[in-house]
Amino acid sequence: MYQINEFNEKSALDNALADKVAGLLSQAIEAKGKASIAVSGGSTPKGFFKALSQKDLPWKKVTITLADERWVNLDDDASNTKLVHEHLLQNNASEAKFFHLKQGEVLTDETLTDLNLAAKSSLLPLDVLILGMGEDGHTASLFPCSDEIHTGLAQDNPDALLKVQPKTAPHQRISFTFSSLLKSEAVFLHIAGAGKKQVLNKALAGQQILEMPVRAFLQHPQVNTQVFWAE
């Protein structure tokens, strides 16, 4: 299910989310000696990344990864990895580990198998998951109407990751599956702007998950998705 947290300003949202996430990471480290977090790409997280990077945490015990990644060069502006390195793996957080989803020039079946094994053994389940949402209701790289959507949303899918070739967006991608993200200890949906609020309202008003995959997180009874939104 979900809970909506609204803020008057984007900066207030970013700071509040950073405080919340830092507390959860600290609790995980205290309990297990380590913590893991997956974040989303795009322009929305930049302020949150900066606020989180300045938190006083034992960052060497934190592993950061992405909910999904475009299979582009790491110096490409479309690279989520580049975004994380420039805005999150800075300041205090520069000591954190980073779990790369983009490895090599071509996303082969062998690469995907190796990444699946590595994610399962060293990363999952995630302590914190920060999702974004597209105008079409996709989240991570789980796109409506894509050939991979049934596999990506299947709750009994044993794989942590899958290849995605979206029909409505550029670049081949790699994405965590819903079945792997479902096990995250804390799930947040981080969105901003009136346009995204309209998309969120549409997602909350309907039931068809294949039409808007973000509904899988908003509707699932075992997932408490914390929606953080600001104008």
Side-chain angles (χ1 to χ4, degrees), residues 2-21:
Y2 65 90
Q3 177 180 342
I4 298 178
N5 305 273
E6 295 193 18
F7 297 85
N8 293 328
E9 297 180 353
K10 176 72 163 46
S11 59
L13 180 158
D14 293 334
N15 289 326
L17 184 57
D19 287 343
K20 183 70 173 179
V21 169

Side-chain angles (χ1 to χ4, degrees), residues 64-85:
I64 299 171
T65 193
L66 288 155
D68 65 317
E69 177 60 296
R70 302 174 181 92
W71 214 263
V72 297
N73 292 331
L74 298 183
D75 60 354
D76 193 308
D77 287 341
S79 169
N80 289 333
T81 299
K82 179 182 179 181
L83 178 80
V84 168
H85 276 277

Side-chain angles (χ1 to χ4, degrees), residues 78-127:
S79 169
N80 289 333
T81 299
K82 179 182 179 181
L83 178 80
V84 168
H85 276 277
E86 290 181 348
H87 297 279
L88 178 53
L89 291 170
Q90 300 288 328
N91 303 311
N92 296 333
S94 63
E95 295 186 328
K97 305 179 184 71
F98 185 68
F99 184 94
H100 284 268
L101 295 184
K102 169 53 165 78
Q103 297 186 12
E105 295 301 315
V106 180
L107 178 49
T108 65
D109 290 339
E110 182 179 4
T111 298
L112 186 62
T113 297
D114 290 343
L115 284 167
N116 262 300
L117 291 173
K120 290 179 182 180
S121 64
S122 64
L123 190 67
L124 300 176
L126 295 164
D127 293 299

Side-chain angles (χ1 to χ4, degrees), residues 175-194:
S175 177
F176 277 97
T177 60
F178 177 63
S179 61
S180 61
L181 298 178
L182 178 64
K183 301 178 178 67
S184 303
E185 290 294 328
V187 178
F188 298 89
L189 181 61
H190 181 198
I191 56 177

Side-chain angles (χ1 to χ4, degrees), residues 134-151:
E135 300 291 344
D136 60 355
H138 83 265
T139 191
S141 277
L142 303 174
F143 285 85
C145 302
S146 68
D147 292 338
E148 304 87 358
I149 191 60
H150 289 88
T151 302

